[in-house]
């Protein structure tokens, strides 16, 4: 019994060994090995890192100016235009809405019988005050009487902030229907949207139609046509002109190398060296230095042309130029770096090559910081460009005697537009005025009407050649589109000046 038990134990042991993979065929048993245990799963990869956020843009002084406030933030309407015997439509019957949009105040006016077209108006430079105010379009009566709706923004900031002007004007255009609906008037979307403006508003107008603006603006609007008037059509080149006029004045007055930002320290010496009289009503250059300087200014601002002498002597716009000398090139904190560049200027004293050479040898050369006005990652350039990249009808107006935003702005713009191959979309008109933006209402109405007719009929209207020196210097230049006849909305000052000009600088009938 004991022996048999041992035998059974031995047999059980051999079976157990065989079943665990030991032993072999010699004992008559075989087995199939079990598959190896699966390897442990690799750990899950960590989640991908989030993409880097946009690099924050640098800030500038203008960004810290947050105390701007509208003149009348609670306004919901504004006064009807005063009636005139020429009116065919009762101005009191229009819808007039005022309000706030994005920190800017606005006015919107829609005739009872609206023609389906909307006009955005961009006002000019409002200075450095904190109060924001709306300026209604100068051709308001024309717009109402012809069925146009119009809208105008105060912009959300003052100073030379064209970026804010474009964005706030575009935002208002985009909210036109919502504003009408909120005031109880359902309107279809405008069939056409146009833009016009004066001075800095002319810059806003020209910038608003640029391809770059549409690509980079936060509020995007495709305008159907534009009328920039007395506009800063050379964008930052306006400030180059101010700098060139300053360094030329310093050089002629014996202060060639004095640091230009310290103008206030030498203005008391330079002014009497160049002018016998320099008052709010009269500027009289001395001889010979003052006459040389007058020639330099003439050539910087568009070359020999009618009314330059009256513009300098009594137009008063050059006083504003003299008042902005001494800039550090940041346009009062709109930029962080200097945009001033005078390297392209050759100062010309007509008929005096020796003095011309001496002036150009001694005048300081200012060079812009290359990226002072670069493209931004958060919207428009700080000073939007007017590069000539557009394909809508544009009609411009500029007075010949304007020395603050001079006639040369038109020449710069003309060349930029031509360089982009877009001259077929530009018409320019010279007006025989003697200061900044001193157009009659008729001149402005005709320019606007010509642009709209061009957009509608695709027939380009007439304009002036602004770049051929012999044409610009002709004593009758500017007569074709000058209209001295007064309208009910012309100021007394313009009526008076134009009456005098019509006598002393006679134009042939157009």
């Amino acid at each position: 019994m004991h022996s048999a038990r041992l035998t059974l134990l031995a047999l059980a042991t051999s079976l157990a060994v065989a079943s665990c993979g030991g032993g072999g065929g010699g004992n008559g048993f075989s087995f199939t090995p079990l598959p190896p245990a699966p390897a442990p799963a690799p750990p899950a990869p960590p989640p991908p890192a989030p993409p880097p956020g946009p690099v924050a843009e640098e800030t500038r002084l203008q960004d810290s100016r947050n105390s701007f406030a509208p003149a009348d933030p609670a306004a919901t309407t504004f006064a009807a235009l005063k009636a005139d015997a020429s009116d065919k439509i009762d101005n009191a019957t229009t819808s007039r809405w005022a309000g706030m949009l994005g920190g800017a105040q606005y006015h919107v006016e829609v005739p009872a019988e609206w023609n389906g077209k909307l006009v955005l108006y961009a006002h000019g430079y409002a200075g450095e005050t904190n109060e924001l105010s709306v300026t209604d379009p100068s051709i308001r009566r024309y717009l109402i009487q012809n069925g146009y709706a119009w809208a105008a923004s105060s912009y959300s900031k003052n100073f030379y902030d064209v970026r804010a002007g474009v964005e706030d004007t575009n935002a208002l255009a985009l909210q036109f229907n919502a504003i009408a609906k909120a005031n109880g008037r359902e309107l279809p979307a405008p069939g056409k949207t146009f833009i016009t403006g004066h001075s800095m508003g002319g810059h806003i107008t020209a910038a608003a139609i640029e391809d770059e603006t549409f690509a980079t603006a936060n509020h995007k609007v495709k305008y159907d046509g534009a009328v920039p008037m007395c506009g800063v059509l050379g964008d930052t080149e306006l400030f180059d002109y101010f700098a060139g006029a300053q360094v030329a004045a310093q050089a002629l007055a014996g202060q060639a190398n004095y640091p230009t930002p310290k103008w206030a320290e030498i203005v008391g010496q330079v002014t009497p060296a160049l002018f016998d009289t320099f008052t709010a009503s009269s500027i009289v250059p001395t001889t010979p230095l003052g006459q040389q300087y007058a020639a330099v200014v003439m050539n910087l601002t568009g070359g020999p042309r009618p009314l330059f002498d009256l513009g300098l002597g009594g137009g008063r716009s050059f006083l504003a130029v003299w008042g902005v000398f001494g800039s550090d090139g940041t346009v009062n904190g709109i930029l962080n770096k200097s945009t001033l560049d005078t390297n392209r200027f050759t100062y010309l004293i007509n008929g005096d090559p020796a003095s011309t050479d001496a002036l150009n040898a001694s005048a300081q050369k200012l060079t812009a910081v290359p990226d002072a006005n670069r493209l931004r990652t958060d919207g428009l350039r700080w000073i939007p460009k007017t590069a000539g990249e557009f394909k809508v009808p544009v009609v411009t107006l500029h007075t010949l005697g304007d020395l603050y935003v001079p006639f040369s702005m038109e020449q710069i713009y003309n060349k930029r537009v031509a360089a982009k191959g877009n001259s077929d979309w530009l018409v320019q008109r010279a007006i025989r005025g003697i200061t900044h933006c001193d157009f009659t209402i008729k001149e402005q109405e005709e320019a606007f009407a010509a642009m709209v007719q061009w957009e509608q009929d695709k027939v380009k209207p007439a304009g002036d050649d602004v770049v051929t020196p012999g044409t610009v210097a002709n004593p009758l230049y500017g007569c074709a589109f000058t209209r001295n006849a007064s309208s009910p909305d012309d100021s007394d000052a313009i009526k008076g000046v134009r009456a005098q000009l019509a006598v002393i600088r006679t134009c042939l009938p157009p």
Side-chain angles (χ1 to χ4, degrees), residues 68-154:
F68 299 108
D72 190 2
T76 59
T77 189
F78 55 100
L81 185 64
K82 184 180 178 180
D84 182 77
S86 65
D87 294 340
K88 298 179 181 178
I89 295 172
D90 183 354
N91 298 318
T93 63
T94 63
S95 299
R96 296 180 302 281
W97 307 309
M100 296 295 300
L101 181 64
Q105 193 163 12
Y106 65 78
H107 285 179
V108 174
E109 185 167 27
V110 186
E113 298 295 329
W114 179 40
N115 67 9
K117 299 173 183 178
L118 173 63
V119 179
L120 276 296
Y121 176 70
H123 71 71
Y125 181 64
E128 301 175 6
T129 66
N130 289 328
E131 183 175 280
L132 305 172
S133 58
V134 181
T135 301
D136 298 340
S138 56
I139 59 170
R140 180 183 175 187
R141 188 178 305 276
Y142 175 88
L143 297 176
I144 295 170
Q145 295 298 314
N146 287 277
Y148 292 91
W150 63 266
S153 172
S154 70

Side-chain angles (χ1 to χ4, degrees), residues 151-174:
S153 172
S154 70
Y155 320 144
S156 54
K157 293 195 172 188
N158 286 331
F159 289 75
Y160 198 82
D161 200 337
V162 174
R163 171 172 158 146
V166 172
E167 290 287 9
D168 293 331
T169 299
N170 283 4
L172 181 58
L174 295 171

Side-chain angles (χ1 to χ4, degrees), residues 36 61 92 129 133 138 140 152 289 349 361 376 384 391 418 435 455 496 510:
L61 179 57
T129 66
S133 58
S138 56
R140 180 183 175 187
L289 289 181
I349 301 169
R376 319 306 301 184
K391 285 184 168 57
T435 191
E455 193 280 331

Side-chain angles (χ1 to χ4, degrees), residues 440-459:
T440 64
I441 298 298
K442 286 292 185 186
E443 290 157 355
Q444 298 171 74
E445 290 174 352
E446 287 187 13
F448 181 82
M451 181 274 295
V452 172
Q453 194 70 34
W454 180 10
E455 193 280 331
Q456 176 180 310
D457 296 344
K458 315 306 178 189
V459 178

Side-chain angles (χ1 to χ4, degrees), residues 306-317:
L307 306 183
F308 167 77
D309 55 340
L310 295 179
L312 178 62
R316 297 182 291 183
S317 60

